[in-house]
Amino acid sequence: MDNTAPNPALDRFPAGRLAFPHRDLTGIGQLERHEILYLLASAEQWVELNRQSAKHAGLLAGLTIINAFFENSTRTLLSFEIAGKRLGADVVNMHAAQSSVKKGETLIDTAITLNAMRADAIVIRHGSSGATQLIADKVDCPVLNAGDGSHEHPTQALLDALALRAKLAERGEEAEDFTGRTILICGDILHSRVARSNMLCLQAMGAQVRACAPPALMPAGIEAMGVEPFSNFDAALEGCDVVMMLRLQQERMAGQFIPSAREYHHLYGLTKARLASASPEALVMHPGPMNRGVEIDSEVADMLDRSIITQQVEMGVAIRMACLDVLTRTARGVEGWSV
Ligand code: CP
């Protein structure tokens, strides 16, 4: 793929801005709407590359990217690794379980160690909210948040937006943003960094966002985030264009938040019958990993015409390629919004 070729999708972005104005990607909260749209447009070119048999671009040749994961991951770790490799970088994965963290090394000393190895970008997943910012403050290279505690998972929200936009385009409903659409996020809102990043991202893109959870799993004062809260799933579903389901984050729960998985499924599980309360043709999303039979039934998750869960995974590689490209431009001596 010729990466120097003009990309018409990017032409509408402000020519006066000389560089992406952030060194790090710690959350959607730091991004302006036009920066989100820019990252999405930029990722669209990588979707095309990823569908070819030859998937390599040499944009990041010579750069070293370290993926430091202090929590388990399948999608995020692998897609950051694939994204870096497809762009030509040397990619190294640090799994905390096999690292000197297990010998008592602190998070900050670990960050300083990675920095001393002259990484050109560090991707962090950590169980503590704010850990990514803490590391970003200690190192000299861009830091990308791959999920920090219950705080944010910005590349997940970006890939969700990219997948939704692609599906709408496939249906002939092409639109730059989600103005006029109602999107419901349902599940363990309290512990979910995916919910938080998506509330910010979807609203920045014009959507009306609803949040539905059992009262014990709904953050106090959620209205301040601009979303409409519900505890009744059937009421929340009415008129929704998109339903995004979240799993119960047992690893972040201290104590019992729900009576049982069976009870939870009865009240908050997305079944085919329940999906009928949403708009006709409403789309179904889930960031994964799914707990089938708890928050979502297989017959819904696997609906070819309505579920875009697999497309979300596909878009994960492209959005991470776009983020790695944009954030390493200073290291590569590349200026400007255009690729
Ligand atoms: N959606 C998501 O972050 O999945 P992983 O935990 O598998 O990375």
Side-chain angles (χ1 to χ4, degrees):
M1 186 184 187
D2 177 5
N3 295 303
T4 59
N7 179 351
L10 301 177
D11 284 351
R12 61 188 179 281
F13 293 96
R17 302 287 290 272
L18 284 179
F20 193 73
H22 309 281
R23 192 200 70 167
D24 309 301
L25 178 59
T26 54
I28 297 293
Q30 74 181 102
L31 300 179
E32 303 280 346
R33 172 189 150 88
H34 66 273
E35 293 164 357
I36 293 171
L37 293 175
Y38 176 76
L39 287 170
L40 298 183
S42 183
E44 273 156 9
Q45 70 183 311
W46 303 123
V47 175
E48 294 310 313
L49 177 72
N50 290 335
R51 288 176 179 171
Q52 294 172 20
S53 52
K55 299 179 178 61
H56 281 103
L59 222 56
L60 306 194
L63 268 53
T64 301
I65 297 169
I66 299 181
N67 295 324
F69 276 57
F70 296 80
E71 277 191 338
N72 293 342
S73 169
T74 298
R75 281 151 283 270
T76 313
L77 176 60
L78 285 180
S79 60
F80 264 116
E81 182 174 359
I82 291 168
K85 286 180 172 169
R86 287 201 181 149
L87 291 174
D90 297 317
V91 182
V92 182
N93 294 334
M94 193 206 87
H95 300 278
Q98 287 114 45
S99 75
S100 289
V101 170
K102 286 284 164 201
K103 301 176 196 164
E105 188 160 58
T106 65
L107 179 60
I108 289 177
D109 281 338
T110 304
I112 291 169
T113 301
L114 302 184
N115 196 49
M117 293 176 188
R118 300 208 171 264
D120 296 293
I122 300 176
V123 180
I124 302 279
R125 169 168 287 194
H126 199 278
S128 300
S129 302
T132 313
Q133 187 61 58
L134 192 70
I135 289 178
D137 292 342
K138 297 286 175 197
V139 302
D140 304 316
C141 65
V143 172
L144 292 90
N145 183 359
D148 63 331
S150 306
H151 174 229
E152 278 229 41
H153 192 350
T155 56
Q156 178 69 46
L158 292 169
L159 76 86
D160 290 339
L162 189 64
L164 185 52
R165 229 166 56 156
K167 184 64 182 181
L168 294 173
E170 190 187 301
R171 285 183 167 182
E173 299 175 41
E174 202 149 355
E176 183 169 72
D177 68 13
F178 305 134
T179 301
R181 302 194 192 265
T182 301
I183 301 179
L184 170 64
I185 305 174
C186 179
D188 181 0
I189 308 283
L190 181 67
H191 299 104
S192 176
R193 54 199 178 204
V194 174
R196 188 174 166 78
S197 289
N198 261 301
M199 286 174 197
L200 294 166
C201 188
L202 294 169
Q203 288 185 93
M205 293 185 69
Q208 295 286 327
V209 179
R210 296 177 182 174
C212 179
L217 292 173
M218 184 71 88
I222 184 110
E223 296 89 343
M225 285 199 71
V227 303
E228 191 181 356
F230 289 83
S231 57
N232 182 306
F233 191 20
D234 296 301
L237 277 164
E238 253 174 62
C240 280
D241 302 302
V242 180
V243 188
M244 183 183 293
M245 300 304 296
L246 304 174
R247 78 183 166 90
L248 294 166
Q249 309 229 340
Q250 303 283 0
E251 71 275 27
R252 294 185 220 294
M253 291 184 191
Q256 194 73 16
F257 281 76
I258 56 161
S260 67
R262 192 182 156 140
E263 175 82 4
Y264 183 83
H265 177 263
H266 178 64
L267 293 173
Y268 295 99
L270 187 60
T271 60
K272 208 167 177 181
R274 209 165 233 153
L275 184 59
S277 304
S279 293
E281 308 307 315
L283 294 169
V284 175
M285 303 179 75
H286 195 306
M290 283 186 278
N291 290 138
R292 291 171 183 262
V294 182
E295 75 273 11
I296 190 165
D297 278 6
S298 284
E299 62 173 357
V300 178
D302 300 334
M303 284 171 102
L304 289 178
D305 54 336
R306 307 281 290 275
S307 166
I308 60 167
I309 296 169
T310 306
Q311 290 92 325
Q312 288 174 260
V313 177
E314 181 189 9
M315 297 300 151
V317 177
I319 206 73
R320 283 155 186 145
M321 289 170 85
C323 292
L324 288 172
D325 163 25
V326 166
L327 293 176
T328 57
R329 283 185 189 170
T330 303
R332 285 152 44 215
V334 178
E335 296 260 320
W337 283 93
S338 59
V339 288

